[in-house]
């Protein structure tokens, strides 16, 4: 390619000149191409180690004038062909022009200007992309694509020098991290190592340091482990690997492919060798940390952050920390943890002004809000720029949401595509109205009962709590702009008053912000969602009356209706999640303290931010969970939990994190619990329902208070505290049933002694037996103990552990899916379990590739996680053709593409242009494990509609305009048969008697029985279709060792079938039905009159075989004997057309290959198909059985393992070579 002219001082250092003229020199890099010796090996090694551009572009063109010692590099190329084109262009277009210049400087100026003009013209269309990535990085991306055979769609994120440990020997080279692959390349003294790992195959990624591998990164897949070390910046590399692996896991879980951020802000300064994708991923990581820290919505984008101080009036001091500015918020967090945190929505800001600077208060900035609060920041480094950015965001921020305009300006990221109505547009007297009781109050307030006198002291304590919070609001502010300090946490741990619980849940979870920015959204969503019958609504109806049935608020229609509306609205908002069990338990608790709209937004925060992937439609492990839970001893405690506990991916991830925390914090107990298998059982129900299903309601709601303030770490802390409190008893347990009984009784007796609500019956109380109930445990003491013993847990550490577990869990889900699919189809396939698993991996890889590099239909259309595993992954025709070409035993040369397309249409029964794995295996199984009849049946069906489309049938014939009514006989015959059957059905219906339910059950069972297709059910084949089948057979036999015998055999069979068709046509024309009876006579060799259309049909066969021969790839120059044989003897096709067909059967007007004669009219008459000619599959089968060579060919068994290994080798695994091609730098497996 042409490059911007660069000055070169030493033109011949490490380069060899190959062509030269007075103005230009074409050079090749030493060590590239054949030969080179020791010098070439050293140069190649230096190029790799030093990341020289010569490794990807080993050819270049230099410009030089006269006796000047300065050269200008104007072009480079990766192959001799590419650089030669540039050289010829220079000689043709510039040499003559340059000869008229007198001054060498003018020549150089002209050449440089010309080259720069060419580059500018080439980059006109892609200028934006050229400006995105620096030149050095684009060079590295080209190198990656060339080294590893990646398409242009594969984007490089970054690359680093490192060592790859191959055995105990480190190989110094470069690691390339692209969106979908980890690649490594090394070239040291002729030894070349190349490695490609898909991120979707990674099962473990960690950073460790041992004596053998000093400070290395380990990348584990299912079969191997790879170690990389000697990084210049190992932390940066490892974080980028984590991000890319996370993207891949998300792709496996939800089928969400990576898309670059189009709105990424331009960098303030040019970043050397940093790609736009790397900046994008860095920005994503910062955004995720920012949103998690302040509980913000997924669409919030961090614009920047800066160090500053914040004046805190409650302590009368300046707190050091960081200010964060995003498109909708200004946030602050102190450097010291829990000292102070602040969130200021821009919609609340009224004034932003710069105060006067002083030595005590440098660069101050004052921000005032609508609730009369003023926040003073100071020590800002670039105050003017910060004020400008805040002003820009304020201009884009809509005014106070008083109408519905803000809703259209701030759509929710998960809003369904259908239009959303506003409150003013909402139909009256429909499913939801602001006048409903549950739209104004929580259910506890609606069903407030008189408090007994004996609860008087508790009421007093409750009022004291309320007063403490009111004092806190006065000092620290109230609402979203409240200062959040360690005092706030202390009040939360002491229990939130029931009257403030809903308000504070909304505040701490971040749901308040979403609700304020989307007024009327919930009401309009209800009107759209209610009344629609979906799978989610059916599941919701089934679970409504199982949601806290012991609470009086859900023993009437008002509570049930409110719960129905909230769950239905969320299922409609987020169809990716829809409804999952355990959501009803959590939502019913939210409705007790919040209005419907508040409960809805809390559910959004819970499912989409605070418990990611907990409530996901990808449900696994149910049987495993139930198996452990249905122990007879603990049946009563678990009958309720079993209805709720479906193991979903997010809960499985946290289950793994909990096991890891147990191993670190309680090592002795961990070993015993692993032996009993209890941790995996208990943790799911604890996490999914936040202890609400296993603990008395009044106690569990205290944990929910802490959860909304602290996040998931509280659930981990309390879970560890529960195990620690029962450690002695658990260590002495003999089985899992006893362990679960101990934990169940303990949790059942965790009580809230400060509650003012009447006691709510708890189903776990059934466990309490005898006169010696277990002692009560104060819920506040349990929470306090969890903070004292395990309060050191940090959110960032938990996130790091989640990442490790997510890799394991999602790969485990994939393995489970594979086993489920194999079990489902192994009875219908003759392949072994190992073969089916290998085929599934290849099939899924094709689907994943469509997510990487695009296709005719989007990946989301092909992958539906709600479907059974067997139908989740699907491929299109193009991908099927690739797999068929690599795996099918029938090799047809250039005709393979046509045959595989027909098989795809045959397998695609629902006509959606996609096939699933079962359909794919069905097609292959018939070829590999069917007997001769099954294989011939498949081949026969591949040449009938729908496999054979009319265009293909006509393409085999020369005069397509004659063939407009080809399928008429067959269509009429099928229609007549259909009419006859319909008439018969009508007569039967007249005689039918009323059927009872048993009859319909039998009919239903009969419909679901697999229908076995008989050979008599196959339709007849017309002449065009027969010609296409002969063409396919010729291509199938062209590469077989018994090629000549097979050609003779198929020619003989074709002749017999043509005569059979003629006999059948005569009987059909006479109105008789003796064609079948005459088949045996037709099989006997006899002479017939060569006049008529029999010869015409044979002419068509000859013509089709001639065309088929043209499709066969030319023979390779590997055997000189075969070439000599072809020169001195008749070609294989000549034997078929002129030798195998008896001369008596060839009509006068038949044109054979190699024969000269016959005019155009004769050829057209010889090519015209016979519309009345047809044969049956039985006749085809009987004819094939007469030829031993054909029987042997179709009875021959094939081994698919060799095909699978060859197909796997196409996916770049590990390769090592010592030579390279002169024309292209290609890798060859040793």
């Amino acid at each position: 390619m042409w490059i911007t002219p660069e000055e070169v001082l030493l033109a011949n250092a490490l380069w060899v000149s190959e062509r030269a003229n007075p103005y230009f020199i074409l050079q090749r890099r030493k060590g590239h191409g054949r030969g080179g010796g020791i010098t070439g090996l050293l140069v190649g090694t230096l190029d790799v180690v030093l990341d020289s551009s010569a490794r990807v572009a080993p050819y270049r063109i230099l410009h030089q004038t006269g006796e000047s010692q300065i050269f200008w590099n104007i072009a480079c190329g990766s192959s001799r062909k590419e650089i030669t084109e540039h050289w010829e262009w220079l000689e043709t277009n510039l040499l003559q022009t340059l000869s008229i210049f007198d001054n060498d400087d003018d020549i150089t100026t002209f050449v440089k200007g010309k080259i720069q003009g060419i580059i500018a013209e080439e980059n006109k269309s892609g200028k934006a992309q050229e400006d995105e990535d620096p030149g050095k990085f684009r060079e590295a991306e080209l190198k990656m694509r060339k080294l590893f055979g990646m398409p242009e769609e594969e984007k490089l994120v970054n690359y680093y020098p490192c060592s790859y440990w191959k055995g105990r020997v480190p190989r110094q080279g470069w690691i390339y991290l692209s969106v979908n692959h980890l690649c490594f390349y090394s070239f040291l003294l002729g030894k070349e190592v190349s490695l490609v790992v898909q991120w979707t195959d990674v099962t473990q990624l960690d950073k460790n340091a041992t004596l053998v591998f000093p400070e290395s990164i380990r990348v584990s897949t299912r079969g191997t482990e790879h170690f990389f070390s000697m990084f210049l910046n190992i932390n940066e590399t490892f974080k980028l690997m984590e991000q890319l692996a996370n993207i891949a896991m998300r792709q496996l879980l939800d089928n969400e492919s990576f898309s670059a951020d189009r709105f990424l802000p331009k960098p303030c300064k040019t970043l050397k060798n940093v790609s736009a994708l790397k900046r994008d991923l860095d920005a994503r990581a910062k955004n995720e940390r920012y949103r998690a820290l302040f509980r913000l919505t997924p669409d919030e984008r961090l614009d920047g952050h800066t160090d500053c101080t914040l004046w805190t009036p409650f302590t009368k001091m300046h707190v050091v920390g960081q200010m964060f500015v995003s498109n909708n918020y200004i946030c602050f967090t102190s450097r010291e943890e829990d000292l102070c945190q602040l969130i200021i929505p821009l919609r609340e800001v009224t004034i932003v002004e710069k105060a006067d600077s002083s030595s005590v208060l440098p660069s101050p900035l004052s921000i005032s809000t609508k609730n009369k609060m003023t926040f003073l920041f100071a020590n800002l480094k670039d105050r003017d720029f910060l004020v400008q950015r805040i002003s820009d965001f304020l201009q884009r921020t809509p005014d106070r949401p008083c109408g519905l305009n803000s809703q259209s300006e701030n759509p929710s990221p998960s809003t369904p595509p259908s239009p959303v109505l506003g409150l003013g547009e909402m139909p009256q007297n429909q499913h939801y109205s602001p006048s409903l009781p549950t739209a104004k109050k929580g259910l506890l307030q609606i069903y407030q009962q008189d408090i007994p006198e004996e609860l008087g002291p508790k009421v007093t304590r409750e009022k004291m709590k309320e007063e403490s919070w009111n004092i806190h609001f006065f000092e620290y502010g109230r609402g979203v702009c409240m200062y959040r300090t360690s005092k706030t946490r202390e009040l939360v741990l002491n229990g939130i008053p029931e009257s403030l619980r809903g308000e504070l849940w909304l505040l701490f979870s971040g749901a308040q912000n979403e609700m304020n920015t989307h007024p009327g959204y919930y009401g309009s969503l209800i009107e759209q969602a209610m009344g629609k019958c979906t799978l989610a609504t059916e599941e919701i109806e089934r679970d409504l009356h199982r949601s806290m049935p012991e609470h009086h608020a859900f023993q009437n229609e008002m509570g049930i209706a409110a719960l129905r509306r909230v769950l239905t609205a969320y299922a409609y908002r987020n169809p990716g999640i829809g409804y999952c069990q355990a959501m009803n338990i959590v939502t019913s608790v939210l409705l007790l303290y919040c209005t419907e709209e508040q409960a809805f937004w809390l559910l959004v925060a819970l499912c989409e931010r605070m418990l990611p992937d907990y409530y996901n439609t990808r449900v696994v492990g149910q049987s495993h969970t139930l198996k452990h839970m249905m122990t007879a001893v603990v049946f009563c405690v678990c009958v309720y939990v079993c209805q709720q506990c479906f193991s979903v991916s997010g809960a499985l991830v946290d289950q793994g994190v909990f096991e890891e925390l147990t191993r670190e914090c309680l090592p002795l107990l961990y070993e015993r619990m692993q032996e009993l298998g209890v941790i995996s059982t208990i943790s799911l129900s604890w996490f999914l329902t936040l202890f609400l299903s296993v603990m008395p309601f009044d106690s569990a709601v205290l944990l929910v208070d802490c959860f909304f303030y602290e996040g998931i770490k509280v659930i981990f802390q309390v879970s560890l505290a529960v195990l620690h409190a029962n450690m002695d008893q658990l260590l002495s347990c003999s089985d899992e049933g006893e362990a679960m009984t101990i934990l169940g009784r303990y949790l059942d007796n965790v009580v809230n002694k400060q509650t003012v609500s009447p006691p709510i019956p708890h189903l776990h109380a059934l466990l309490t037996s005898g006169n010696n109930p277990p002692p009560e445990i104060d819920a506040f003491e349990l929470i306090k103990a969890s903070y004292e013993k395990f309060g050191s847990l940090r959110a960032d550490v938990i996130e790091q552990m989640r990442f490790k577990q997510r890799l394991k869990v999602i790969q485990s889900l994939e393995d489970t899916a594979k086993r489920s699919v194999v079990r489902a189809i192994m009875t219908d396939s003759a392949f072994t379990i190992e073969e089916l698993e290998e085929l599934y991996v290849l099939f899924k890889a094709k689907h994943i590739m469509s997510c990487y590099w695009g296709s005719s239909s989007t990946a989301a259309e092909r992958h539906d996680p709600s479907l059974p595993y067997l139908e989740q992954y699907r491929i299109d025709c193009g991908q099927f053709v690739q797999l068929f070409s690599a795996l099918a035993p029938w090799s047809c040369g250039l005709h393979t593409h046509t045959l595989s397309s027909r098989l795809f249409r045959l397998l695609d029964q629902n006509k959606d242009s996609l096939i699933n794995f079962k359909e794919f295996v069905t097609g292959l199984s018939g070829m590999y494990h069917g007997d001769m009849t099954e294989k011939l049946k498949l081949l026969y069906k591949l040449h009938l509609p729908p496999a054979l489309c009319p265009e293909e049938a006509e393409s085999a014939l020369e005069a397509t305009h004659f063939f407009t009514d080809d399928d008429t006989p067959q269509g009429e015959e099928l229609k007549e048969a259909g009419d006859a059957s319909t008439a018969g059905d009508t007569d039967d219906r007249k005689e039918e008697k009323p059927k009872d339910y048993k009859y319909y059950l039998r009919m239903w069972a009969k419909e679901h029985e697999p229908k076995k297709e008989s050979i008599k059910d196959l339709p007849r084949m017309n002449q065009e279709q027969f010609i296409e089948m002969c063409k396919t057979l010729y291509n199938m036999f062209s590469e077989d060792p018994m090629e000549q015998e097979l050609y003779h055999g198929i020619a003989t069979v074709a002749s017999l079938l043509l005569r059979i068709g003629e006999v059948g046509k005569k009987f059909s024309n006479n109105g008789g039905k003796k064609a079948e009876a005459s088949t045996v006579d037709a099989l006997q060799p006899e002479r017939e009159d060569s006049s008529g259309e029999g010869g015409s049909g044979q002419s068509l066969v000859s013509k089709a075989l001639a065309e088929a021969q043209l499709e066969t790839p030319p023979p390779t120059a590997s055997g000189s004997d075969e070439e000599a044989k072809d020169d001195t003897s008749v070609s294989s096709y000549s034997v078929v057309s002129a030798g195998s067909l008896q001369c008596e059967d060839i009509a006068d007007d038949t044109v054979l290959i190699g024969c000269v004669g016959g005019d155009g009219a004769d050829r057209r008459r010889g090519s015209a198909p016979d519309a009345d000619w047809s044969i049956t599959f039985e006749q085809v089968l009987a004819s094939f059985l007469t030829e031993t060579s054909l029987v042997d060919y179709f009875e021959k068994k094939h081994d698919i393992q060799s095909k699978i290994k060859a197909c796997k080798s196409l996916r770049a695994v590990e390769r090592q070579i010592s030579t390279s091609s002169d024309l292209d730098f290609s890798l060859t497996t040793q």
Side-chain angles (χ1 to χ4, degrees), residues 543-599:
D543 286 346
L544 283 176
H545 295 278
R546 293 188 288 186
S547 306
M548 296 190 67
E550 67 277 10
H551 200 288
H552 56 274
F554 294 98
Q555 295 171 357
N556 58 80
E557 185 54 34
M558 181 184 294
I560 295 296
L563 181 60
R564 178 188 294 112
R565 285 191 290 269
V566 173
L567 292 175
T568 304
Y570 185 78
Y572 186 77
R573 166 192 164 89
N574 193 343
I577 292 179
Y579 170 77
C580 292
Q581 294 195 15
M583 287 173 64
N584 58 325
I585 299 295
V586 177
T587 307
S588 60
V589 174
L590 300 179
L591 282 169
L592 292 176
Y593 299 99
C594 308
T595 66
E596 281 188 40
E597 186 175 13
Q598 292 173 342

Side-chain angles (χ1 to χ4, degrees), residues 1114-1127:
T1116 58
S1118 57
S1120 58
D1121 295 339
E1122 293 182 2
E1123 292 176 359
K1125 181 179 177 182
D1126 289 340
D1127 292 338

Side-chain angles (χ1 to χ4, degrees), residues 211-482:
L211 292 176
V212 181
F213 303 112
E215 197 175 22
S216 61
I217 295 176
R218 180 177 64 178
V219 180
S220 303
T221 60
R222 286 179 176 83
T224 56
E225 289 185 344
H226 307 285
F227 291 89
F228 303 90
S229 64
M230 298 178 69
F231 290 93
L232 296 178
N233 191 339
I234 190 170
N235 292 326
E236 177 189 339
T237 309
F238 184 71
K239 286 180 180 178
L240 181 56
M241 286 182 171
E242 282 186 328
Q243 278 186 285
L244 295 171
N246 252 329
I247 292 172
M249 294 306 105
R250 174 60 57 189
Q251 185 177 355
L252 285 176
L253 184 64
D254 291 336
N255 218 64
E256 296 178 358
S257 58
F258 176 82
S259 57
D261 190 348
R262 297 182 180 181
F263 304 100
L264 187 68
K266 297 285 184 183
C268 299
K269 58 181 180 179
T270 303
L271 301 175
K272 185 179 179 181
N273 294 342
V274 177
S275 67
L277 274 179
K278 178 65 168 61
R279 293 193 296 111
D280 183 2
L281 290 173
D282 289 344
R284 290 178 188 228
K286 291 179 180 178
N287 282 332
E288 288 173 3
R289 289 194 295 269
Y290 169 65
R291 291 192 294 259
L293 181 61
F294 298 103
R295 306 278 173 81
L296 302 178
T297 57
D299 58 342
E300 197 63 28
R301 299 161 59 87
L302 178 65
D303 188 69
H305 59 89
T306 182
D307 293 333
C308 67
T309 59
L310 172 66
W311 172 256
T312 52
F314 47 89
T315 58
K316 302 294 189 292
M317 60 181 293
H318 292 278
V319 177
V320 179
Q322 279 190 323
M323 174 192 284
F324 300 83
V325 179
S326 60
N327 48 330
N328 292 302
Y329 298 91
I330 299 172
C331 302
F332 174 86
T333 185
S334 60
R335 186 174 298 172
E336 183 181 344
E337 190 176 2
D338 294 332
L339 187 59
C340 182
Q341 190 181 81
L342 182 65
I343 301 173
I344 308 174
L346 292 181
R347 67 179 183 272
E348 299 289 331
V349 174
T350 56
I351 300 174
V352 177
E353 58 181 351
K354 294 181 286 187
D356 295 335
S357 296
S358 64
S359 58
V360 179
L361 199 64
S363 302
L365 178 67
S366 173
I367 299 177
S368 301
T369 61
K370 295 176 182 178
N371 59 354
K372 310 302 181 183
M373 294 183 69
T374 301
F375 304 96
L376 184 62
F377 298 90
N379 292 284
L380 295 164
K381 292 182 180 179
D382 197 347
R383 184 178 61 169
D384 294 339
F385 177 76
L386 177 63
V387 171
Q388 183 60 46
R389 292 301 295 164
I390 295 175
S391 299
D392 293 341
F393 286 128
L394 283 173
Q395 290 177 359
R396 304 174 204 165
T397 303
D399 296 333
R400 179 192 297 273
C402 53
L404 299 172
N405 295 331
S406 62
Q407 181 179 332
S408 59
E409 294 170 359
N410 295 297
S412 171
S414 302
T415 304
S418 51
V420 178
L421 300 172
L423 279 177
E425 305 170 11
M426 188 178 64
Q428 298 297 321
N429 301 323
Q430 291 296 314
H431 301 92
Y432 178 79
S433 169
S435 61
L436 287 173
T438 52
K440 301 176 181 178
K441 300 179 181 178
L443 290 173
L444 274 185
Q445 287 182 281
I446 296 174
Y447 292 98
Q448 187 69 47
Q449 298 179 357
D450 294 334
I451 301 174
E453 294 182 1
E454 63 268 15
L455 296 178
K458 295 183 179 180
V459 175
T460 304
R461 183 175 294 179
E462 185 78 3
K463 289 182 178 180
M464 291 175 62
K465 286 184 183 179
E466 292 180 12
E467 187 61 28
S468 298
W469 276 99
N470 289 329
I471 295 172
H472 186 272
F473 291 149
F474 179 78
E475 293 183 0
Y476 297 87
R478 187 167 188 169
V480 290
C481 298
M482 179 179 70

Side-chain angles (χ1 to χ4, degrees), residues 659 662-663 666-675 679:
E659 291 186 8
T662 306
R663 183 174 63 248
L666 305 170
L668 293 178
L669 183 59
Y670 170 78
E671 294 179 3
R672 182 58 182 157
M673 297 290 278
Q674 284 295 98
E675 293 174 3
I679 293 182

Side-chain angles (χ1 to χ4, degrees), residues 1029-1215:
M1029 188 170 73
C1030 292
K1031 185 177 177 181
T1032 299
L1033 288 168
Y1034 180 86
N1035 283 281
M1036 286 173 60
F1037 302 153
S1038 63
E1039 300 177 7
D1040 195 272
M1042 303 294 292
E1043 182 179 0
Q1044 297 297 326
E1045 291 81 355
L1046 290 169
Y1047 287 155
H1048 280 285
I1050 192 57
T1052 304
V1053 167
S1055 301
L1056 293 176
L1057 288 172
L1058 283 169
R1059 292 200 297 272
I1060 291 172
E1062 290 299 319
V1063 173
K1065 183 182 69 173
K1066 291 176 182 178
F1067 277 85
S1068 175
N1069 291 338
N1070 293 332
K1073 296 183 179 180
K1074 301 180 180 179
E1076 297 291 337
S1078 64
T1079 302
V1080 179
D1081 297 333
L1083 291 175
Q1084 304 299 327
E1086 61 179 63
R1087 296 176 174 237
E1088 294 183 0
D1089 187 3
S1090 60
S1091 62
E1093 297 188 15
S1096 173
Q1098 293 180 10
S1099 169
L1100 288 173
V1101 175
S1102 301
K1103 200 169 190 64
L1105 294 182
E1107 293 177 359
Q1109 188 187 32
L1110 295 178
E1111 291 187 8
T1112 307
T1116 58
S1118 57
S1120 58
D1121 295 339
E1122 293 182 2
E1123 292 176 359
K1125 181 179 177 182
D1126 289 340
D1127 292 338
T1128 58
S1129 62
V1130 190
S1131 70
S1132 59
Y1133 175 69
S1134 300
V1135 174
V1136 174
S1137 58
S1140 297
L1141 297 178
Q1142 286 95 354
C1143 296
E1144 297 86 350
D1145 300 328
I1146 303 177
D1148 295 335
D1149 59 355
T1150 301
V1151 180
L1152 294 179
I1153 299 304
C1155 298
V1156 181
D1159 56 14
D1162 290 337
R1163 283 194 295 272
R1164 283 194 299 272
R1165 190 158 60 88
S1167 298
D1170 191 339
D1172 296 328
W1173 188 97
S1174 66
I1175 55 175
T1176 65
F1177 175 72
E1178 293 118 307
Q1179 293 166 345
V1180 173
L1181 178 60
S1183 301
F1184 270 74
L1185 290 173
T1186 62
E1187 290 295 324
T1188 307
S1189 58
L1190 296 178
V1191 174
D1192 292 342
Y1193 179 85
F1194 284 102
E1195 289 287 355
K1196 182 170 58 177
K1197 298 296 181 183
H1198 299 274
D1199 181 21
I1200 198 174
Q1201 284 293 347
S1202 58
K1203 295 280 187 179
I1204 292 175
K1205 289 179 181 178
C1207 190
K1208 280 184 176 180
S1209 66
L1210 297 178
R1211 301 172 64 197
V1213 193
E1214 186 173 354
R1215 303 167 293 189

